[in-house]
C-alpha cells in the first residue's frame, strides 16, 4: 500500500509538471497561476501545494526534467572514456552540440521546455533566483567544455591561439545564441534548417 501511494504521488507530481509546461507555453509564466495549473492537470490546488511550495519551484522542476539528462549526456559525450580508436575531443564537442539540436528537434517535451525558458518567462521577482541558478549551471557547462578543449590542445587539434577557457566560453556563447534563435525560428526558415552546418563551421574554425 505504501509503495502504491508513493507511485501515485509520483504520477501526480509528473502530471502537474507536464501541465505547468503546457500552461506556461500557452499563457506565459507570469500570467499562469497555480490554480490554472491545477485545473489543467485535473488535480486540486492542494495537490499542487503538496508537491511544490510555489510557482518558481514548479518551474525549476520542469526545467530539471530536461536539463539533468542533458548534463548526463554531455558528460558522457565530452569526457567519457574513448571506446577504441583515436580520441577526438573536437569531434566530441561537435557531437555534443549536434546531439542537443537533435534532441530539440525530436523531443517535444525538451523543445517546449526550452521555449518556455527562452520566450515565455520574465526572470524577475520570485524568478530572480531561478535566473541565478541558470547562470550558475552555465559555469558548469563552460568548465566541461574547457576540459574538452584542453584535451584537444594536448593532442594538437586546435590551430587558434586561445586558451582552453577562452575557447570554451566562445563556444558556450555561440551555442547559447544558436539555441535561442533555433527556438524562436518556429517556421524553420532561418536557423533550424542549417543549425548543424553552423555548428560544423564553428568547429572547423578551431581546427589546426
Amino acid at each position: 500500500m505504501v509503495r502504491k501511494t508513493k507511485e501515485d504521488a509520483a504520477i501526480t507530481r509528473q502530471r502537474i509538471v507536464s501541465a505547468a509546461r503546457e500552461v506556461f507555453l500557452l499563457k506565459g509564466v507570469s500570467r499562469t497561476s497555480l490554480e490554472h495549473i491545477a485545473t489543467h492537470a485535473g488535480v486540486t490546488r492542494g495537490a499542487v501545494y503538496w508537491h511544490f511550495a510555489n510557482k518558481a519551484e514548479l518551474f525549476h522542476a520542469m526545467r530539471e526534467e530536461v536539463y539533468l539528462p542533458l548534463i548526463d549526456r554531455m558528460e558522457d559525450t565530452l569526457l567519457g572514456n574513448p571506446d577504441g580508436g583515436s580520441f577526438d575531443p573536437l569531434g566530441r564537442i561537435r557531437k555534443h552540440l549536434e546531439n542537443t539540436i537533435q534532441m530539440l528537434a525530436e523531443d517535444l517535451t525538451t523543445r517546449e521546455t526550452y521555449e518556455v525558458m527562452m520566450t515565455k518567462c520574465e526572470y524577475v521577482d520570485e524568478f530572480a533566483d531561478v535566473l541565478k541558478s541558470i547562470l550558475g549551471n552555465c559555469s558548469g557547462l563552460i568548465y566541461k567544455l574547457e576540459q574538452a578543449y584542453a584535451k584537444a590542445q594536448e593532442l594538437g587539434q586546435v590551430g587558434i591561439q586561445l586558451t582552453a577557457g577562452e575557447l570554451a566560453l566562445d563556444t558556450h556563447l555561440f551555442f547559447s545564441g544558436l539555441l535561442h534563435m533555433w527556438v524562436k525560428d518556429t517556421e524553420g526558415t532561418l536557423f533550424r534548417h542549417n543549425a548543424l552546418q553552423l555548428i560544423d563551421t564553428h568547429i572547423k574554425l578551431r581546427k589546426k
Side-chain angles (χ1 to χ4, degrees):
M1 179 63 71
V2 173
R3 180 179 178 183
K4 181 64 174 177
T5 301
K6 288 183 178 180
E7 289 175 352
D8 290 342
I11 291 171
T12 299
R13 186 183 188 279
Q14 181 57 52
R15 185 189 303 169
I16 293 168
V17 172
S18 297
R21 183 181 63 254
E22 292 166 5
V23 182
F24 287 158
L25 194 62
L26 181 65
K27 292 178 175 292
V29 175
S30 64
R31 296 182 179 180
T32 297
S33 67
L34 292 181
E35 184 70 42
H36 291 143
I37 295 169
T39 299
H40 194 71
V43 301
T44 65
R45 189 167 61 178
V48 176
Y49 278 114
W50 175 262
H51 292 281
F52 304 100
N54 50 49
K55 188 164 61 173
E57 189 175 296
L58 180 47
F59 182 92
H60 186 69
M62 176 205 70
R63 177 175 171 268
E64 284 200 334
E65 186 177 50
V66 301
Y67 184 76
L68 294 181
L70 176 64
I71 292 298
D72 289 341
R73 284 192 289 270
M74 178 184 185
E75 184 89 29
D76 183 62
T77 303
L78 287 180
L79 305 172
N81 293 325
D83 50 0
S86 59
F87 189 43
D88 180 12
L90 276 185
R92 283 174 173 246
I93 293 170
R94 183 181 64 247
K95 186 65 175 175
H96 158 64
L97 304 182
E98 291 173 344
N99 285 348
T100 303
I101 291 295
Q102 184 177 11
M103 186 170 59
L104 280 170
E106 296 178 355
D107 186 77
L108 181 62
T109 296
T110 299
R111 188 164 63 252
E112 289 182 344
T113 300
Y114 269 76
E115 187 172 345
V116 169
M117 292 191 300
M118 292 178 175
T119 69
K120 302 293 184 177
C121 184
E122 296 177 339
Y123 294 97
V124 297
D125 299 328
E126 63 180 319
F127 283 85
D129 287 339
V130 174
L131 180 57
K132 289 180 181 178
S133 175
I134 291 174
L135 292 175
N137 291 143
C138 287
S139 297
L141 295 174
I142 293 168
Y143 177 68
K144 289 179 174 62
L145 286 169
E146 182 178 354
Q147 289 178 291
Y149 271 120
K151 290 181 180 293
Q153 289 177 324
E154 288 175 11
L155 294 174
Q157 289 188 318
V158 179
I160 188 170
Q161 296 300 309
L162 293 172
T163 67
E166 290 169 336
L167 289 166
L169 180 58
D170 184 65
T171 291
H172 177 71
L173 293 175
F174 155 76
F175 196 56
S176 294
L178 180 58
L179 286 178
H180 273 82
M181 298 312 299
W182 192 98
V183 168
K184 294 171 183 176
D185 182 24
T186 55
E187 295 184 1
T189 58
L190 297 174
F191 296 98
R192 292 193 183 189
H193 73 289
N194 67 344
L196 297 182
Q197 180 59 50
L198 292 171
I199 290 169
D200 187 58
T201 299
H202 179 79
I203 297 301
K204 282 181 179 178
L205 289 171
R206 281 144 171 69
K207 284 187 175 181
K208 195 165 185 178

